[in-house]
Amino acid sequence: GDSVTQMEGPVTLSEEAFLTINCTYTATGYPSLFWYVQYPGEGLQLLLKATKADDKGSNKGFEATYRKETTSFHLEKGSVQVSDSAVYFCALSDHSGNTPLVFGKGTRLSVIA
Amino acid sequence: KAGVTQTPRYLIKTRGQQVTLSCSPISGHRSVSWYQQTPGQGLQFLFEYFSETQRNKGNFPGRFSGRQFSNSRSEMNVSTLELGDSALYLCASSFLTPSTDTQYFGPGTRLTVL
């Protein structure tokens, strides 16, 4: 079945550091890929998405490129802020029927001033 | 446009009791999905409803059930609560189907079973 694997956290960075959170997937066909973010005490918010190979999703300084050849969708940000501290989830949707999103385990990011 | 709302935000129950959680989707969204989030298992899919019909179900025991009303609002019910049911329960809505339309999540209901 479909699956998503994320790098395990927690990840601790200093403010203005470069961020990469790795995400790889296994799916049949051509899934859509998503990054969701969960701030403390809140639900999940869609951060960015990409629906086909080589698409780049971007939002709030975060970027991720859909790489079919490496089945990856790594999240990057050039300069993190304390306010980026949250849990980040990679997810996929395989477009078959009404199947739900498949999520990775989540990566907790802590940014210190 | 208002987002997905969930009530209550926090619940404390004891083993053996039952609980009902409510979710109001974004206006115009007809698909509602429920997820359970725990530190050990992460996000696990419970079920999805569309037009008052359950279209998809995850691998949870029959103690977990749900329904959807004609206005797309949804409830989930957990009977005979167990300690392991303590979790954050998230509701997500999408326009027609979660496999092709973006899902938008509510803030969740934090259930604690004592």
Side-chain angles (χ1 to χ4, degrees):
Chain A
D2 298 344
S3 65
V4 174
T5 303
Q6 287 180 240
M7 62 185 287
E8 294 206 11
V11 174
T12 302
L13 295 174
S14 298
E15 209 165 24
E16 299 183 4
F18 185 85
L19 168 71
T20 299
I21 300 179
N22 290 337
C23 171
T24 57
Y25 67 89
T26 302
T28 54
Y30 304 93
S32 291
L33 301 172
F34 305 83
W35 277 101
Y36 281 85
V37 58
Q38 186 175 34
Y39 297 103
E42 298 183 13
L44 275 66
Q45 299 176 25
L46 178 65
L47 182 58
L48 53 84
K49 68 178 181 180
T51 57
K52 60 182 187 298
D54 300 324
D55 266 1
K56 177 185 284 189
S58 62
N59 186 26
K60 300 181 181 179
F62 291 89
E63 292 182 342
T65 301
Y66 189 142
R67 301 287 189 199
K68 189 172 185 301
E69 63 276 13
T70 54
T71 62
S72 65
F73 193 54
H74 304 321
L75 182 68
E76 297 181 334
K77 186 175 185 183
S79 176
V80 294
Q81 305 301 312
V82 172
S83 57
D84 294 326
S85 298
V87 181
Y88 293 82
F89 292 90
C90 186
L92 72 81
S93 171
D94 70 3
H95 305 302
S96 62
N98 302 303
T99 53
L101 289 173
V102 175
F103 285 91
K105 293 283 192 184
T107 302
R108 181 175 300 277
L109 170 66
S110 295
V111 181
I112 54 178
Chain B
K1 187 184 275 192
V4 179
T5 58
Q6 293 187 244
T7 56
R9 291 293 308 276
Y10 302 92
L11 269 176
I12 300 177
K13 294 286 188 180
T14 56
R15 278 181 299 174
Q17 288 187 306
Q18 75 165 18
V19 66
T20 299
L21 314 181
S22 180
C23 170
S24 293
I26 290 171
S27 178
H29 284 194
R30 296 172 62 188
S31 168
V32 174
S33 299
W34 288 89
Y35 294 83
Q36 181 195 65
Q37 185 181 20
T38 59
Q41 299 298 316
L43 281 152
Q44 292 185 285
F45 172 71
L46 281 155
F47 26 65
E48 186 251 345
Y49 286 86
F50 178 84
S51 289
E52 303 177 65
T53 300
Q54 186 182 89
R55 285 197 299 198
N56 207 347
K57 188 177 189 306
N59 189 25
F60 277 81
R63 300 185 298 107
F64 292 82
S65 63
R67 60 177 174 170
Q68 187 181 34
F69 302 94
S70 58
N71 62 357
S72 295
R73 191 177 69 85
S74 177
E75 290 181 345
M76 67 162 281
N77 184 77
V78 187
S79 62
T80 320
L81 284 166
E82 301 177 359
L83 295 179
D85 297 333
S86 294
L88 180 67
Y89 290 87
L90 292 165
C91 166
S93 76
S94 54
F95 180 54
L96 288 177
T97 167
S99 59
T100 56
D101 304 319
T102 299
Q103 284 197 298
Y104 296 89
F105 284 78
T109 295
R110 172 78 59 187
L111 171 65
T112 302
V113 182
L114 303 176

